[in-house]
Structures are given as C-alpha cells and as structure tokens.
C-alpha cells in the first residue's frame, strides 16, 4: 500500500512538473536512475526517506517567517510555529540538548550563527553593550569603527583542513579564516591522530575565544571531554561541528565523552549526512547561548525554509526510533569492514583505519593524485570525492586522498561482505589506472588512463550488489 502510494505520488508529481518544464522532470528521473545504479561513497551523502523528501515539496515553501516562534516579522505564521516547535522539540529529545535552533539552511549557516552568538555573548565591549541597550542610531561612526575592530580581532583555533577539519573552522580562504584571527591545530605526523597535548599547548599559547572541534575528513572519534577541559583552561568557548557524525550521536554509537552535546557550549550540524534528514543545518546550545542563537535570523540568516524545518521534524522523529540506532551501528561496523578490505589488499589509510563512518584512502601509493583517482573511480560507477591528506603535497585541489563513507550504502542495506567487495573493486580500479601526461608531455595531476575493460568489469560487479539492495525498492515511476 505504502509503496504504491509513493510510486503514484512521485509519478504524478513528475507529470505535473513535465507539463511546465519537461527537462526538469527528465533530469529528476535521471538523477534517481543514476543514484540507483552507482556506488555512492561520498561520506557526507545519504538517502532520505520518502516521508522526508515529500515533506519538502509543499506550500510551506511559500511562507516567510523571519524571527522565532511566536515572535515573527510577518503575520500568519501560526503553522510555521507548529512546525518549528516540533522540529526543535524532536531535536532536543534526540540529542539531549537544552536548546535547539532548527532554522539554519546549511552547515555553514549554522556555524555562522554559532560564531555570531559567541561574539555577541562573549566579546566584552562597551560599544556592544551600548549597541544592544540603545537605539543603534545613537552610536557614532567612531563607536562602530571600534566595534568592528573588536569583533574582527577575536581568536579562533580549529582543526586544519588537511588534517580533516572543515573550511569553516578557520581555513584562511574561508570567511571564518578572515573574520577571525585564526590558528589551526593538526594531527600527529606519525600516527595521523589528534594529539590533545599539542592542542592544549597551542591553546595555552594562543588563548582563543573559540575552540572548534569536529571534522569532515578525520576517520577517528574525538574525546570531547578533553576538548572541553582545554577550552575551560584557556577560557575559550567550545564549539563542536558534528555535521559528519550527527547520525552516530543520534544513534548512540558515540556516547559518553564521544558525545559532544553535553560538553560543547554550542554544537552545530547539518541534517542530511549520517543523520539522514533533509538538506539543512541546526545549532544546539547550552541555555547561556540560547537568546543569541535565536537572533540568527535575520542577523545572519535569511527567512527560514519552513518546508525544510518540517522535513527536519519528520527526520528527527525517524531518528528517535530504535531502528535508527541499529542503522547507526551498522554505519560504523561497515566502515571498519571497508577499512579492513583496503588494509588486507595493501592500501594505505590515513591513521591506519577508522572508528567512525569514513575512511581516508591515501592514493599516492598507486602513483595517482586524488583527482585522478576520483575521476577513474567515477568512470567505473564509484562516486567518491578527492580529499587532502595531512601535509598534502598536492594541495586542496588535486589532493592525494579519496574520502569514502558508509552512510548511504548502509541505508541501502550493504553489510560486511559488500563493503569488502567495494574495497576490492576500488583497489582494482586504482591498480589499473595510470597517471596521464599534459599536452606538453609532462606529468599531469589531472589526466589519467584507465585500463581497458576495467570500468565494465567493476560496473558489472557493482550492479550485482546494487540489484540486491535496491534504492527505494517499492518506488516504480510510470
Ligand atoms: N561538503 C561537506 C562534506 O562533503 O564534508 C562539508 O561541507
């Protein structure tokens, strides 16, 4: 019954779309076909449920609702209030958080809201106090100048991009690396692991206002109690970006000192990665920061996407089911199977393995850059993304690594054996790919030559596994 409802709902929706712009309907059909027929290993992607996807396609998209529940800059927001209240309630329950702000449109937006709230809450500025207490028009140009200087000179310490941190954790080319006086911590050059002693030493010397923990390409768990100790010792605010591993926190794989929520002053996340919700962001906060976080819109964000907040509520309700804990545990178990599959075939992994949802494969031993490996794998229907490895000689564009995650294929039902086969297929492709040359005949970091027949062989073997674990099995488009 549910399958036929979903099939007929999507088939009819595509007909409605096709009547206006058939090329969009066709691209939408093709995207489903492509996702169904490829091995999706991008660590930040997943497959949301039809309930989550359908919730986004409604008239909530048409409503403006800047402000917060019960305090909007527009009339007629009673139903948006219901949606936002439910999404926040589910989020608080799911993560055991004192406060949840579900409006951010993305992870970067969530981090900007968190940065704003830390600055507003912690920067001791007589000008800021005056700005908040009085009509802002009473501030002189000189006051504003001082305020800009004070805000712009605050210190942030975050994990470097090549060690696995995110762009928004103080990477120089990103706004976070420009708006803050930033420094970065890395990982131990021998082990690739976080060295808490080194982070503490850097924090003592630099005395940041904000210590950012969390990662997008570090294949290990973090002890957030230790990070909080470091923050407390130097008087910093601990902000944890759990975008990548929120599903492992929600699914109770990361508990105790590996659960950031009780330790961080502010925890930010996206909702569409391992958490398997709609594309979007969220900030969880201790009470002390709630009022400042609430000013996120319109201070930092445009009007909330009410249709996406509704889908967040549905996804959080799904993640509160016991079945989500089973899923999250499988995500972590499958990452171990994938890592073992690589190690037994002689491939190099950053840190030598994984204990979260991702592995970082160093492809330099295959004589390839990350870009060449990513492209060759895509030719064989294996969708990954290239990624820097620590102290990467090829920089952030070409890179020397490929990042692989298990959340999406675990949703399709892949288990230990399939992930071992995935490792085998990837090693097959990379062992049969050679670095190409530039037009002038020199070594190229982008071009590559994939051996004859490899793409067909791997695609065929993938198809056997994918057919056993269909994506949206009951969904048949007419
Ligand atoms: N783009 C996300 C990722 O792939 O990790 C983070 O921004």
């Amino acid at each position: 019954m549910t399958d036929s409802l979903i099939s007929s709902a999507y088939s009819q929706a595509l007909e409605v779309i096709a009547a206006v712009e058939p090329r969009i309907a066709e691209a939408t059909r093709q995207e489903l076909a492509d996702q169904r027929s490829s091995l999706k290993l991008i660590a930040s992607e997943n497959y949301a449920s039809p309930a989550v996807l359908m919730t986004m396609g409604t008239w909530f998209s048409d409503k403006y609702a800047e402000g917060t529940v019960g305090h909007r800059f527009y009339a007629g927001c009673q139903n948006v209030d219901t949606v936002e209240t439910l999404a926040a309630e589910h989020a608080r329950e799911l993560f055991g958080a004192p406060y949840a702000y579900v409006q951010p449109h993305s992870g970067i937006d969530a981090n900007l809201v968190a940065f704003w709230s830390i600055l507003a809450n912690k920067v001791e500025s007589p000008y800021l106090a005056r700005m908040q207490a009085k009509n802002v028009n009473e501030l002189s140009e000189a006051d504003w100048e001082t305020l800009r200087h004070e805000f712009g000179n605050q210190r942030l310490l975050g994990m470097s991009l090549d060690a696995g941190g995110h762009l928004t954790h103080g990477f120089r080319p990103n706004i976070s690396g420009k708006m803050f006086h930033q420094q970065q911590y890395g990982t131990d050059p021998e082990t690739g692991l976080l060295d808490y002693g080194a982070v503490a030493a850097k924090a003592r010397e630099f005395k940041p206002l904000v210590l950012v923990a969390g990662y997008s390409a570090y294949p290990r768990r973090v002890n957030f109690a230790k990070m909080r100790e470091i923050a407390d010792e130097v008087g910093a605010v601990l902000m944890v970006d759990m975008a990548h591993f929120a599903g492992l926190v929600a699914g109770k794989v990361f508990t105790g000192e590996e659960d950031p929520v009780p330790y961080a002053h502010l925890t930010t996340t996206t909702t569409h990665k391992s958490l398997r919700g709609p594309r979007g962001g969220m900030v969880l906060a201790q009470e002390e920061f709630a009022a400042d976080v609430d000013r996120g819109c319109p201070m930092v964000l445009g009007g909330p996407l009410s249709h996406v907040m509704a889908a967040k509520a549905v996804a959080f309700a799904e993640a509160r089911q016991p079945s989500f804990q089973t899923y999250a545990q499988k995500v972590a178990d499958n990452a171990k199977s994938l890592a073992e599959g690589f190690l037994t075939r002689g491939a190099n992994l950053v840190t030598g393995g994984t204990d979260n949802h991702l592995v970082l494969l160093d492809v330099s031993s295959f004589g390839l850059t990350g870009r060449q490996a990513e492209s060759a794998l895509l030719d064989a229907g294996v969708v990954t993304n290239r990624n820097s490895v620590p102290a990467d000689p090829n920089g952030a564009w070409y890179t020397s690594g490929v990042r692989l995650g298990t959340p999406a294929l675990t949703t399709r039902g892949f288990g230990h054996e399939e992930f071992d086969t995935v490792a085998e297929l990837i090693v097959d492709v990379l062992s049969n790919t050679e670095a190409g040359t530039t037009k002038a005949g020199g070594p190229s970091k982008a071009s590559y030559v994939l051996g004859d027949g490899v793409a067909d062989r791997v695609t065929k073997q993938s198809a056997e596994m994918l057919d056993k674990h269909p994506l949206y099995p009951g969904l048949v488009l007419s």
Side-chain angles (χ1 to χ4, degrees):
M1 175 63 176
T2 310
D3 286 349
S4 67
L5 278 179
I6 293 168
S7 298
S8 105
Y10 277 115
S11 299
Q12 290 176 31
L14 286 168
E15 270 183 48
V16 172
I17 296 165
V20 180
E21 177 43 290
R23 290 170 296 182
I24 293 296
E26 187 45 39
T28 308
R29 285 175 183 271
Q30 189 57 46
E31 181 60 24
L32 178 62
D34 290 353
Q35 292 205 20
R36 280 178 158 166
S37 62
S38 57
L39 285 176
K40 189 200 266 210
L41 288 158
I42 292 182
S44 47
E45 294 187 3
N46 211 328
Y47 305 105
S49 71
V52 168
L53 297 179
M54 282 180 171
T55 308
M56 281 187 281
T58 78
W59 29 92
F60 267 123
S61 170
D62 298 328
K63 187 76 195 95
Y64 247 121
E66 285 178 23
T68 47
V69 173
H71 187 76
R72 305 282 184 188
F73 290 84
Y74 294 83
C77 294
Q78 59 280 5
N79 298 311
V80 179
D81 281 356
T82 302
V83 158
E84 185 168 352
T85 301
L86 283 171
E89 261 175 36
H90 277 306
R92 286 196 306 272
E93 289 295 324
L94 181 61
F95 291 105
Y99 180 75
Y101 185 65
V102 296
Q103 291 194 16
H105 309 164
S106 72
I108 288 187
D109 289 4
N111 286 351
L112 285 174
V113 170
F115 291 151
W116 153 255
S117 68
I118 295 167
L119 292 172
N121 194 290
K122 292 291 177 191
V123 174
E124 285 176 17
S125 161
Y127 296 99
L128 181 63
R130 279 172 61 191
M131 182 185 121
Q132 284 171 342
K134 300 203 291 192
N135 184 330
V136 291
N137 293 332
E138 290 173 30
L139 291 181
S140 69
E141 269 312 307
D143 290 342
W144 283 108
E145 179 70 33
T146 308
L147 185 58
R148 281 196 295 271
H149 183 76
E150 286 171 347
F151 264 35
N153 273 301
Q154 297 302 320
R155 296 186 185 131
L156 175 143
L157 177 61
M159 193 178 201
S160 67
L161 191 69
D162 71 345
H166 189 251
L167 300 167
T168 53
H169 300 177
F171 184 51
R172 266 275 151 82
N174 182 263
I175 183 143
S176 60
K178 296 185 171 82
M179 68 187 272
F180 286 104
H181 174 193
Q182 55 74 261
Q183 281 196 15
Q184 304 262 270
Y185 57 85
T187 46
D188 182 276
E190 295 297 315
T191 62
L193 297 172
L194 252 184
D195 174 348
Y196 296 94
V199 178
K202 202 154 217 178
R204 277 182 212 118
E205 194 185 321
F206 186 50
K207 298 204 174 17
L209 171 72
V210 192
L211 174 63
V212 184
Y215 51 79
S216 54
Y218 179 68
R220 296 290 175 178
R221 302 185 186 193
V222 173
N223 184 316
F224 296 107
K226 285 189 185 167
M227 295 304 277
R228 177 62 189 255
E229 256 175 54
I230 296 169
D232 284 348
E233 188 190 327
V234 300
V237 173
L238 178 62
M239 171 178 153
V240 175
D241 179 345
M242 66 167 181
H244 260 263
F245 52 92
L248 300 185
V249 178
K252 312 285 179 234
V253 177
F254 290 3
T255 56
E257 297 186 346
E258 292 167 354
D259 175 355
V261 179
Y263 295 101
H265 296 90
L266 293 139
T267 306
T268 61
T269 188
T270 50
T271 49
H272 50 272
K273 298 188 173 89
S274 53
L275 192 49
R276 211 164 57 179
R279 301 197 73 81
M282 176 166 70
V283 180
L284 303 175
Q286 303 299 335
E287 284 296 350
E288 171 193 4
F289 287 90
D292 294 305
V293 168
D294 253 354
R295 295 196 184 93
C297 169
M299 184 67 72
V300 181
L301 302 173
L305 309 176
S306 306
H307 55 309
V308 180
M309 290 196 296
K312 287 173 187 170
V314 173
F316 299 158
E318 287 177 349
R320 291 181 66 192
Q321 300 299 315
S323 57
F324 193 83
Q325 296 185 14
T326 310
Y327 162 71
Q329 187 58 53
K330 281 188 188 155
V331 167
D333 293 346
N334 283 338
K336 279 210 184 307
S337 302
L338 182 64
E340 280 159 22
F342 282 124
L343 294 171
T344 54
R345 292 172 177 90
N348 289 338
L349 299 181
V350 173
T351 79
T354 179
D355 49 30
N356 56 23
H357 65 298
L358 69 90
V359 302
L360 187 53
L361 178 63
D362 184 335
V363 295
S364 48
S365 62
F366 294 96
L368 301 171
T369 62
R371 174 136 181 217
Q372 290 161 330
E374 176 194 84
S375 303
L377 288 167
L378 187 62
D379 289 349
V382 184
V383 188
T384 66
N385 70 281
R386 63 188 184 278
N387 208 99
S388 303
V389 300
D392 200 314
N394 288 319
W397 179 249
Y398 293 108
T399 81
S400 304
V402 171
R403 188 186 66 167
L404 306 149
T406 54
L409 290 179
T410 302
T411 295
R412 283 185 78 149
F414 276 45
H416 170 77
E417 269 180 38
E418 285 93 348
F419 274 102
D420 183 61
T421 306
V422 169
E424 182 190 330
L425 298 182
I426 290 174
V427 170
D428 186 6
V429 172
L430 299 182
S431 315
N432 286 294
T433 303
E434 284 181 14
T437 50
T438 61
K439 279 187 189 145
S444 167
K445 291 186 177 190
S447 67
Y448 61 96
V449 182
L450 178 58
D452 283 346
V454 180
D456 284 348
R457 179 169 75 224
V458 169
T459 308
K460 197 159 160 266
Q461 282 176 269
S462 301
E464 281 167 23
M465 291 190 290
L466 291 165
D467 289 349
K468 276 192 212 144
H469 301 287
L471 173 61
Y472 304 124
L475 171 55
V476 182
L477 294 180
S478 57

